[in-house]
Amino acid sequence: MYSDSGDDRQQQPGGEVGELHGAAVVLRPTTATDITTLDRIVREPEVAAWWSVPDDYRDMLAILCHDEVIGAIQFSEETDPEFRHASIDIFLTARRHGQGLGTDAVRTLAHWLIHERGHHRLTIDPAAANTPAIRSYRKVGFQPVGIMRAYGRDHRTGGWADGLLMDLLADELT
């Protein structure tokens, strides 16, 4: 179900990513032609409530369903051997919410980060009020670690919002 085509394009320092195939989605490095679509998606009110407009989409992977770009996912890696782990962030067009596609994208990237990049632990940090995202991440196997108070900007109010730190150990990936 999950495979890396071996495209060997750079995602993050040290994180070469080709095309990754999930059950229903394909993840691939973004291209210049994806930027307009991704910029439109991140500005949708349902997405903008949780995401800032990125400065650059080049370090992301486009999420495709039936060859249509429906969002983006990104990762970062801590490479210090004492604290080695990776983190994930994702956004998906509102019209594809609730269809399991975000869960599939997170699971696909998590699988690659664990089995190809050798991470034993992954983190994700949704807004504590973003219950649909939290539910999706739990389906992959992420567990709540704790609330990070006043963690990030609340794009709805302009104030600070709590975040929920969640993590997944390699043997917990579902």
Side-chain angles (χ1 to χ4, degrees):
M1 175 169 18
Y2 306 103
S3 64
D4 181 351
S5 71
D7 181 322
D8 288 338
R9 292 181 61 185
Q10 190 75 17
Q11 167 61 19
Q12 293 287 342
E16 296 176 358
V17 180
E19 217 172 66
L20 306 176
H21 294 263
V25 300
V26 173
L27 311 180
R28 64 153 172 76
T30 56
T31 65
T33 59
D34 298 329
I35 293 171
T36 301
T37 300
L38 293 174
D39 199 57
R40 177 185 47 76
I41 292 170
V42 83
R43 293 172 191 275
E44 293 173 3
E46 301 90 342
V47 178
W50 311 110
W51 263 81
S52 298
V53 176
D55 293 332
D56 194 347
Y57 295 95
R58 287 182 296 165
D59 288 336
M60 297 183 177
L61 299 172
I63 304 169
L64 287 81
C65 183
H66 304 295
D67 295 323
E68 175 193 1
V69 174
I70 61 168
I73 192 167
Q74 63 185 3
F75 68 94
S76 62
E77 297 180 284
E78 171 59 61
T79 57
D80 181 330
E82 296 292 317
F83 301 98
R84 185 167 165 73
H85 73 280
S87 61
I88 298 173
D89 283 308
I90 181 175
F91 66 86
L92 203 64
T93 183
R95 63 186 177 73
R96 294 305 203 130
H97 289 180
Q99 299 175 18
L101 300 173
T103 301
D104 188 28
V106 170
R107 184 178 291 119
T108 300
L109 183 56
H111 185 273
W112 182 81
L113 287 166
I114 290 168
H115 296 287
E116 299 298 323
R117 298 291 299 152
H119 291 286
H120 75 284
R121 180 174 163 270
L122 307 178
T123 62
I124 199 161
D125 57 357
N130 193 346
T131 54
I134 294 165
R135 190 171 38 251
S136 173
Y137 307 150
R138 280 182 172 273
K139 290 177 185 175
V140 177
F142 283 88
Q143 298 297 317
V145 173
I147 296 292
M148 298 178 291
R149 299 176 302 140
Y151 178 64
R153 285 289 179 194
D154 184 326
H155 298 282
R156 299 164 296 170
T157 68
W160 291 100
D162 293 346
L164 176 63
L165 177 61
M166 303 179 79
D167 72 1
L168 168 78
L169 300 179
D171 61 355
E172 298 169 341
L173 179 62
T174 61

